[in-house]
Amino acid sequence: MKLSLLSAASVGVLCATMSAAALDPITIKGSKFFNQKTGEQFFFKGIAYQPRTGVAGDAMDPLADTVGCKRDIEVLKDLGVNSIRVYQVDYTKNHDTCMKLLEDAGIYLVLDIPSPKYSINRKQPYWDHDIMSHWTAKIDAFSKYPNLLAWIAGNEVANDIETTPSAAFVKAAIRDTKAYLKKKGLSTPVGYADNDDMHIRMNLINYFNCGDKDSRADFYGVNIYRWCGNDATFKTSGYEDVTKNMTDYTIPSVLTEYGCNLVRPRAFAELKSLYGSDMGNTFSGGIMYEYSEEDNKYGVVKVSYGSTTVEKNGDYANLKKALSEVKPQTIKSSDYKPGGKDSACPNVSDTWHVKSEVLPPTPSSARCKCMIDSLGCTFKNDNLTDDEGKAVGEVVGNICGQTSCSEISYDTSKGNYGNFVACDSIQRSAWAVNKNYLNQNKAKCELKGADVKTVSSPKQPDQSVCLKEKDDIGNTGSPATNTGDNNSNSSSTSGSDKESEHDKDASSKKSAAMLSAQPLATMLASAVALFYLF
């Protein structure tokens, strides 16, 4: 949020509940974090915490691993960290033990909301009610913990020019996440972490802090791996340029990942700049990548699931020493007068394929159900097998290559979003199958590779009525136009570097041509097919 002053009423406590032993809540004022109780400025002295060695399958949740938590808490305390960033958890599990151990150790949590299966795909982005429902379930599960400090809504999603359309969907997700938190009486800040790509970094920096305040990120993270080796300096590493980019920023900036490993053991000389006069007035500290030594060789210790053994390496001692020596110059909240200037939204260009003033619609399960109830030809089953999904993807691609699928398509560069673009992939496919049925004058309801059925009397005869259904936040009105300037829901039927292990999710697995450069029908042809491949 870009605000000159954030009061307790507008930013509030960053926790859902408090107890006598709870950590003090951290709040945002202007471009800085503050301890709400003492008024002291807060700097992140964090570390990324996502042990992966010994994990069975995809069940990666370090905050549900009580053996690992008990093993690592004392190590984290010894390192001198005050916060951890966790990328992946299973919100259905119990996290009480680990979260309490972290709280007692004085450690806050920064938690990524997306998971590998429920994230915004950078190549073929959508923000639908299926993804949103899992995000809100995670919010519900973790908001009770007093040491939950912040959410991250996306990690390096738009990572080059071709994937800039995905930024629109991440910003829509931030808008809806913040609205959901507000509805629940919560105000935990929601941020974004970028990948420091030289071609798009300034557009991203400006985009997530421009337009409607309810749609902006509350803080901005930079994942940076430029400071490599003992000979690097604030200037030669490029850290000076990164700092200049954020000097007049009106929301907090954090290094959400740092720690180049080209030269080991790492000396972490960048901490003197990060917490000193070079960067301390601009950045609120950072999060070192990472705690455990994995295949990508960034860890400071070796640990394994189910084991109580911790093996420290040379990086550990150096990080501990570097953290102990930094003493950032702080300012009291009462003495701080926010400055800076508003960010101007980037314009559509060769390097930015998003009409910044318009955001994708808020998901609506009710609107999508209503649409499904209007179809005369649809799937027999609510879920499809992998084989059925692949078959459907091919057929739907052909359908939308020959006819307009504007209601389930988008063009971010023009700000066009179909009325049912926020429905899930199966629902969007069902819409296309029905469109083909109507184009054939209802002669054939068939689909090679998947079971479909004819509905002689649909429950909802008028699909336009569906647009009146409330979205999943509780707003009413057509979803087709949601602007970044005024968060409008007005009706407008349109249609027409380094990759860490934690980022190897659905977004990085899928490939397709750039969305905004394609006609909408062609775009959907590839998009729907891809959704069923994983």
Side-chain angles (χ1 to χ4, degrees):
M1 274 185 189
K2 186 188 296 182
L3 295 173
S4 60
L5 179 63
L6 300 186
S7 65
S10 59
V11 173
V13 180
L14 301 178
C15 319
T17 60
M18 293 293 293
S19 64
L23 288 174
D24 293 340
I26 306 299
T27 59
I28 291 174
K29 180 180 178 181
S31 62
K32 303 183 187 303
F33 290 89
F34 291 94
N35 182 306
Q36 188 190 50
K37 184 176 179 181
T38 67
E40 294 290 337
Q41 187 178 352
F42 178 85
F43 282 84
F44 289 87
K45 293 183 178 179
I47 194 167
Y49 183 71
Q50 193 77 53
R52 302 182 286 283
T53 299
V55 177
D58 297 327
M60 200 178 296
D61 186 347
L63 300 182
D65 175 26
T66 56
V67 173
C69 289
K70 292 176 180 179
R71 173 196 65 211
D72 295 330
I73 290 295
E74 292 303 316
V75 181
L76 293 171
K77 287 171 61 178
D78 181 63
L79 270 173
V81 302
N82 64 7
S83 50
I84 60 171
R85 178 183 175 186
V86 176
Y87 301 90
Q88 186 177 339
V89 295
D90 180 350
Y91 62 80
T92 66
K93 295 181 179 179
N94 187 291
H95 304 92
D96 292 351
T97 299
C98 288
M99 289 301 293
K100 188 63 170 67
L101 288 171
L102 288 168
E103 181 187 351
D104 291 345
I107 298 174
Y108 292 93
L109 171 66
V110 177
L111 184 59
D112 285 51
I113 315 177
S115 62
K117 292 183 179 179
Y118 299 100
S119 58
I120 295 171
N121 177 278
R122 66 168 59 96
K123 296 288 188 179
Q124 297 287 353
Y126 280 89
W127 169 240
D128 59 40
H129 68 83
D130 192 26
I131 299 174
M132 183 175 173
S133 66
H134 284 80
W135 285 31
T136 55
K138 185 177 289 185
I139 289 171
D140 291 344
F142 276 87
S143 288
K144 65 181 179 179
Y145 299 117
N147 50 333
L148 173 68
L149 196 157
W151 298 104
I152 292 181
N155 184 72
E156 303 183 7
V157 183
N159 65 355
D160 55 26
I161 294 171
E162 291 190 350
T163 57
T164 54
S166 65
F169 292 87
V170 175
K171 193 168 181 178
I174 289 175
R175 174 201 62 203
D176 295 338
T177 299
K178 290 171 64 172
Y180 181 79
L181 287 165
K182 183 177 180 180
K183 184 179 179 181
K184 301 284 287 187
L186 303 166
S187 51
T188 315
V190 183
Y192 177 72
D194 85 6
N195 71 319
D196 189 37
D197 180 89
M198 62 180 294
H199 299 102
I200 63 173
R201 72 166 71 98
M202 286 313 302
N203 283 333
L204 285 171
I205 289 169
N206 291 329
Y207 182 62
F208 282 101
N209 189 34
C210 78
D212 173 32
K213 293 176 180 177
D214 290 336
S215 303
R216 300 177 191 175
D218 294 319
F219 65 95
Y220 196 79
V222 180
N223 295 348
I224 182 170
Y225 292 84
R226 299 195 198 185
W227 198 305
C228 302
N230 297 333
D231 295 332
T233 67
F234 179 57
K235 186 177 182 63
T236 63
S237 66
Y239 268 53
E240 182 179 42
D241 295 331
V242 173
T243 304
K244 287 178 180 177
N245 293 341
M246 316 302 293
T247 299
D248 293 324
Y249 218 44
T250 53
I251 59 175
S253 305
V254 181
L255 294 190
T256 37
E257 289 179 11
Y258 71 86
C260 175
N261 67 348
L262 294 182
V263 179
R264 297 189 77 179
R266 293 175 284 180
F268 300 106
E270 62 264 48
L271 269 65
K272 291 181 180 179
S273 285
L274 178 58
Y275 297 99
S277 59
D278 289 337
M279 303 173 70
N281 192 46
T282 302
F283 281 89
S284 296
I287 299 170
M288 200 285 294
Y289 189 83
E290 64 180 322
Y291 177 74
S292 59
E293 183 81 340
E294 308 293 342
D295 291 340
N296 53 6
K297 306 299 181 184
Y298 281 89
V300 298
V301 301
K302 285 186 178 180
V303 294
S304 180
Y305 268 71
S307 172
T308 59
T309 302
V310 178
E311 182 182 338
K312 302 172 184 177
N313 61 29
D315 285 0
Y316 181 94
N318 290 345
L319 178 61
K320 177 181 176 179
K321 182 176 184 294
L323 285 172
S324 68
E325 291 177 346
V326 297
K327 298 192 181 342
Q329 184 175 352
T330 62
I331 186 172
K332 281 276 192 177
S333 176
S334 57
D335 297 328
Y336 170 59
K337 292 180 172 55
K341 57 185 178 181
D342 290 353
S343 298
C345 289
N347 296 318
V348 175
S349 67
D350 291 342
T351 59
W352 185 253
H353 305 294
V354 177
K355 185 176 181 180
S356 297
E357 297 79 13
V358 187
L359 294 180
T362 300
S364 169
S365 53
R367 189 175 295 134
C368 296
K369 181 181 184 304
C370 177
M371 180 271 285
I372 291 295
D373 287 342
S374 74
L375 305 182
C377 179
T378 187
F379 298 118
K380 283 186 177 181
N381 302 310
D382 293 335
N383 297 308
L384 301 177
T385 65
D386 290 343
D387 289 340
E388 287 176 325
K390 292 177 182 178
V392 170
E394 293 177 4
V395 174
V396 169
N398 291 330
I399 293 171
C400 293
Q402 300 175 34
T403 188
S404 172
C405 287
S406 61
E407 292 281 28
I408 53 172
S409 304
Y410 61 85
D411 186 335
T412 59
S413 65
K414 295 180 179 178
N416 292 339
Y417 299 94
N419 282 313
F420 302 110
V421 74
C423 298
D424 67 35
S425 56
I426 295 178
Q427 293 169 331
R428 296 194 303 269
S429 297
W431 184 95
V433 170
N434 185 70
K435 180 67 179 292
N436 187 55
Y437 173 65
L438 296 177
N439 287 349
Q440 299 182 66
N441 296 317
K442 302 182 180 181
K444 288 183 179 181
C445 176
E446 61 181 16
L447 183 69
K448 184 178 180 181
D451 292 331
V452 294
K453 63 181 178 181
T454 301
V455 182
S456 56
S457 299
K459 296 178 183 178
Q460 180 51 259
D462 182 5
Q463 198 171 95
S464 65
V465 173
C466 301
L467 304 186
K468 298 178 182 179
E469 295 285 353
K470 291 183 178 181
D471 62 35
D472 290 346
I473 301 297
N475 302 316
T476 58
S478 171
T481 299
N482 287 252
T483 70
D485 282 340
N486 58 17
N487 206 27
S488 167
N489 280 324
S490 60
S491 177
S492 172
T493 304
S494 49
S496 14
D497 298 302
K498 178 191 76 69
E499 186 170 20
S500 308
E501 290 297 319
H502 68 262
D503 195 45
K504 293 180 180 178
D505 56 15
S507 294
S508 59
K509 291 178 183 175
K510 304 174 183 178
S511 61
M514 181 177 67
L515 301 181
S516 59
Q518 297 176 312
L520 292 176
T522 306
M523 175 194 71
L524 185 79
S526 59
V528 175
L530 282 165
F531 259 81
Y532 291 106
L533 294 179
F534 299 91

